[in-house]
Amino acid sequence: MKVILRNPKREMVVEGPTSVRELLEHLRIVPESVLVIRGNELLTRSERVDADDTIELRPVISGGG
Amino acid sequence: MNCRVCKQRAAVEVRRHHAAFCPDHFIEHVQRQVARTIHDYRMFGSEDRLLLGVSGGKDSLALWDILTELGYEVDGAYLHLGIGGYSADSLALAEGFAANRNLRLSIIDLPVDYGFSIPEAAATQGRSACSVCGLSKRYLLNEAATGYDVLVMGHNLDDEAATLLGNVLKWNTEYLGRQAPVLPAVEGLARKVKPLIRVAERETAAYAVLRGIEYEVEECPLVAGNKVNRLKERLNVLEEQSSGIKQQFLFGFLDRGAQHFGVGEKPELGSCRSCGRPTTGDVCAFCRVRARATAPPEERDS
């Protein structure tokens, strides 16, 4: 699957299918620090993601305001 | 994972509440948390004139949406900090949000109105860009709030928990005494409130996405190494191991710890010799930054 990361914006390919939990563990990303977005949907960590999905991992930490 | 309310597929898990929600019920949940915070801390009423500090980021735009949905009339104030394309993008997002909802947004332009930008100021001071930015925001928003009853800020649970942790680690007792959901008005400074303190940063971002709010996703280019953000990352690791720890840390302090640090004590304020605004010194920090940032280079180091 295609995984979009931010700050800086970049893309990578990860093998699927897998779960959101496993995807974040694989990339060593703390779940509390990102939203997992597929199209217009937000995914919880129990959701499955498929090989042909495009997943955005959007950081939520910002400087405030 | 299913919604606690309707049992449909969940979009957002809120682990510290042992709950998950579908989009509609998550939106309701967040709005309810904010309404409860406003009520519990007696932040403001429907008759108060409210000004919200708007950055174009998720927190301030989500809060503007929530307050409007709760029936409050809120004006926004955007600070143009002169941070290149980042400021231009976030201004466009703030203006777009306000225009789509027919809300009033005033714009304070630091380079045009005060003669310097945050990058210029940071380059001429012995302090970080975030420090110069923070003090400029506080000054300019207090000034913008003249004529309003309450200045509303978009600080969320993570912002407040990370600030608290930073102050505890250094035992900045003066700052600990000032950390509160409501800062009462003192002469020349508006009453300041933080209705998002029960909503985690991840939840304000989820709220913004689910409400279709376009916000500035990119990080400020000057933020690298920001201490508060590093503390947020550490707190998120702790939260992963012990859900609810951020909320327990912050609200434990507010409920049982803050009273030991002189909360509510009014600082001794005089008037800034340069601008006349309240300050604890002779010339306020903003006027000192401005004087140095706008001085000719040969005068800066003298």
Side-chain angles (χ1 to χ4, degrees):
Chain A
M1 78 196 69
K2 184 160 83 176
V3 178
I4 300 168
L5 299 145
R6 298 268 192 169
N7 297 327
K9 194 168 181 180
R10 59 206 188 276
E11 290 182 9
M12 61 188 299
V13 175
V14 176
E15 281 188 30
T18 185
S19 68
V20 168
R21 185 191 317 273
E22 288 164 351
L23 173 66
L24 295 175
E25 278 175 9
H26 173 69
L27 297 173
R28 296 185 178 185
I29 290 174
V30 178
E32 185 73 8
S33 69
V34 290
L35 292 179
V36 182
I37 304 174
R38 178 174 58 196
N40 295 323
E41 299 177 305
L42 292 182
L43 304 181
T44 61
R45 61 180 85 185
S46 64
E47 290 278 349
R48 288 205 74 73
V49 284
D50 291 323
D52 57 354
D53 280 339
T54 296
I55 304 295
E56 179 188 347
L57 301 180
R58 182 180 295 186
V60 299
I61 293 180
S62 67
Chain B
M1 196 175 291
N2 294 322
C3 173
R4 179 164 80 176
V5 183
C6 68
K7 313 306 177 199
Q8 298 294 307
R9 191 173 138 254
V12 186
E13 184 183 12
V14 184
R15 292 175 78 214
R16 71 181 185 287
H17 293 172
H18 308 290
F21 298 96
C22 69
D24 287 349
H25 287 120
F26 177 73
I27 288 164
E28 265 185 35
H29 166 76
V30 172
Q31 291 176 355
R32 208 167 39 239
Q33 293 291 317
V34 172
R36 184 182 151 201
T37 305
I38 294 166
H39 174 269
D40 287 356
Y41 290 101
R42 298 176 183 177
M43 288 184 166
F44 46 78
S46 55
E47 72 288 354
D48 284 320
R49 291 161 299 168
L50 308 178
L51 181 71
L52 172 68
V54 174
S55 69
K58 64 188 189 312
D59 301 309
S60 54
L61 294 183
L63 182 54
W64 211 355
D65 181 86
I66 293 165
L67 294 176
T68 304
E69 288 293 307
L70 291 175
Y72 294 102
E73 278 187 34
V74 190
D75 293 343
Y78 174 87
L79 307 182
H80 193 299
L81 301 166
I83 309 177
Y86 178 77
S87 285
D89 290 347
S90 49
L91 171 60
L93 291 163
E95 285 184 318
F97 181 95
N100 288 338
R101 290 162 174 78
N102 207 20
L103 298 167
R104 184 160 32 188
L105 178 70
S106 57
I107 296 160
I108 299 111
D109 193 316
L110 189 61
V112 170
D113 300 339
Y114 295 87
F116 70 96
S117 67
I118 293 298
E120 287 166 350
T124 56
Q125 320 286 324
R127 52 206 307 174
S128 71
C130 293
S131 163
V132 174
C133 187
L135 76 85
S136 299
K137 281 178 180 172
R138 284 190 289 277
Y139 179 92
L140 296 169
L141 284 174
N142 268 312
E143 194 163 71
T146 305
Y148 288 88
D149 297 309
V150 182
L151 176 58
V152 186
M153 302 298 294
H155 297 90
N156 59 46
L157 170 60
D158 294 53
D159 293 323
E160 292 296 296
T163 299
L164 175 61
L165 179 58
N167 286 331
V168 167
L169 288 174
K170 293 186 173 177
W171 289 115
N172 285 330
T173 51
E174 189 188 339
Y175 292 157
L176 286 168
R178 280 193 232 145
Q179 185 162 2
V182 176
L183 294 172
V186 291
E187 198 175 339
L189 296 174
R191 176 179 172 84
K192 199 178 289 182
V193 302
K194 303 168 185 172
L196 280 182
I197 57 163
R198 275 203 181 91
V199 186
E201 185 147 53
R202 187 170 185 278
E203 293 152 22
T204 63
Y207 181 93
V209 169
L210 293 174
R211 289 285 293 167
I213 297 168
E214 285 192 53
Y215 65 89
E216 181 58 81
V217 176
E218 299 305 322
E219 204 166 52
C220 171
L222 305 180
V223 84
N226 177 286
K227 285 178 204 161
V228 172
N229 285 4
R230 286 206 305 257
L231 292 171
K232 285 181 182 178
E233 289 167 6
R234 299 292 184 274
L235 283 169
N236 278 342
V237 173
L238 293 176
E239 183 76 21
E240 191 61 25
Q241 294 160 351
S242 178
S243 70
I245 197 74
K246 285 187 286 197
Q247 184 159 343
Q248 289 164 21
F249 179 51
L250 177 62
F251 283 85
F253 170 75
L254 295 177
D255 294 342
R256 300 185 298 281
Q259 59 192 299
H260 301 292
F261 295 96
V263 170
E265 284 179 11
K266 290 186 178 176
E268 295 270 332
L269 292 176
S271 297
C272 170
R273 190 156 44 86
S274 175
C275 70
R277 306 283 302 172
T279 179
T280 52
D282 182 33
V283 177
C284 74
F286 179 79
C287 285
R288 291 199 305 270
V289 165
R290 184 185 187 189
R292 199 167 168 81
T294 55
E298 63 274 15
E299 290 179 21
R300 263 180 217 146
D301 297 321
S302 60

